[in-house]
Amino acid sequence: MADCNTSTAATGAYSSDELYAALSSRPFVIAGPCVLEDYTLAEDTALAVAEAARAAGLFAVFKSSYDKANRSSLSGFRGPGLKQGVEWLARIREKSGLPVITDIHEPHEVAPVAEGVDILQIPAFLSRQTSLLLEAASSGRVVNVKKGQFLAPWDVKPLLDKLYSTGNRKIMLTERGNSFGYNNLVVDMRSFPVMREFGVPVIMDATHAVQLPGGQGASSGGDRRYVPTLARAAVAAGADGVFMECHPNPDKAMCDGPNSLELKKLPGLLKELAALWSLSREYLKD
């Protein structure tokens, strides 16, 4: 099987089946800025993610969005749009050697986005949208579904049934916390063993889990101090991968800055997670 974290892999030397096999067999990290602010920042971040993951011995996927369609405010920055955004993601894949993942919001976006990215991501608020799920799975790409803030972990089974009905079984699930009162999220660590029983890779979204939805009125707040704590706890609880939005200067980020990890802290955290994965995987064998 091709090594999906090499420059040759980024030029299409691997299939979706090979990528999913890699994600199913070893710990991994998904990281990058929330939104594509500009090309240079995104590429530099991808290269930093690749280096940090390589040093920690982890598989890595680059994440960023071409359009943040669910911003709290109409004035919120959404990104460069589909056409330019997918072009940027394809270039970043080639430059960094990393597979790339991005959000999709409507069924008509699936075909053009699948041309330039490796993994299609279903946002949490859209996790029950049947037409979107079916179209995404029908693309043949790996699909990552973020569990809605309103769903219990066992409630993802019907979502999987929808996706599997297309014949595509290259599916991942992501935990990002559940709504707990107003402007707060809480992660139930039981989610990881529950969702792993469905036989798919399960991911912890450690940065959106510290988000305070709508906590700043016209935008979401967050507390990035707790990202490492939740990431470590999730790995110990059985998470196969960790998702983290990261940015060179989160206080200046155009989207999700309060809950984004500072990029310079990524290498140290990944080494910690790699050590924990080594221990937890031995334990989970029992």
Side-chain angles (χ1 to χ4, degrees), residues 106-262:
E106 299 183 62
H108 69 82
E109 297 177 356
V110 170
V113 174
E115 289 289 324
V117 308
D118 304 282
I119 306 171
L120 303 177
Q121 181 162 278
I122 308 297
F125 284 126
L126 302 179
S127 59
R128 294 180 63 185
Q129 296 295 99
T130 301
S131 296
L132 181 61
L133 292 172
L134 295 178
E135 191 71 19
S138 296
S139 71
R141 289 295 193 187
V142 178
V143 178
N144 179 39
V145 181
K146 287 197 171 184
K147 179 177 75 63
Q149 302 92 322
F150 42 84
L151 292 177
W154 42 86
D155 289 335
V156 300
K157 181 59 166 60
L159 311 183
L160 289 172
D161 291 340
K162 292 177 184 180
L163 295 158
Y164 288 161
S165 73
T166 68
N168 184 351
R169 301 189 72 85
K170 300 185 289 288
I171 310 301
M172 306 190 296
L173 295 171
T174 294
E175 171 63 60
R176 51 104 8 108
N178 280 77
S179 296
F180 188 79
Y182 297 118
N183 307 123
N184 199 26
L185 297 167
V186 171
V187 178
D188 182 353
M189 291 295 161
R190 296 176 298 176
S191 292
F192 301 102
V194 169
M195 293 196 293
R196 286 183 99 241
E197 290 180 357
F198 297 128
V200 299
V202 177
I203 303 162
M204 171 60 180
D205 184 344
T207 46
H208 285 100
V210 301
Q211 194 177 59
L212 300 173
Q216 295 182 338
S219 64
S220 292
D223 195 336
R224 69 178 75 100
R225 292 177 300 169
Y226 301 113
V227 169
T229 300
L230 287 179
R232 291 190 292 258
V235 169
D240 300 290
V242 172
F243 177 111
M244 291 180 286
E245 289 185 339
C246 54
H247 193 282
N249 187 354
D251 290 333
K252 299 293 186 182
M254 302 182 76
C255 178
D256 281 6
N259 57 268
S260 292
L261 183 74
E262 193 172 3

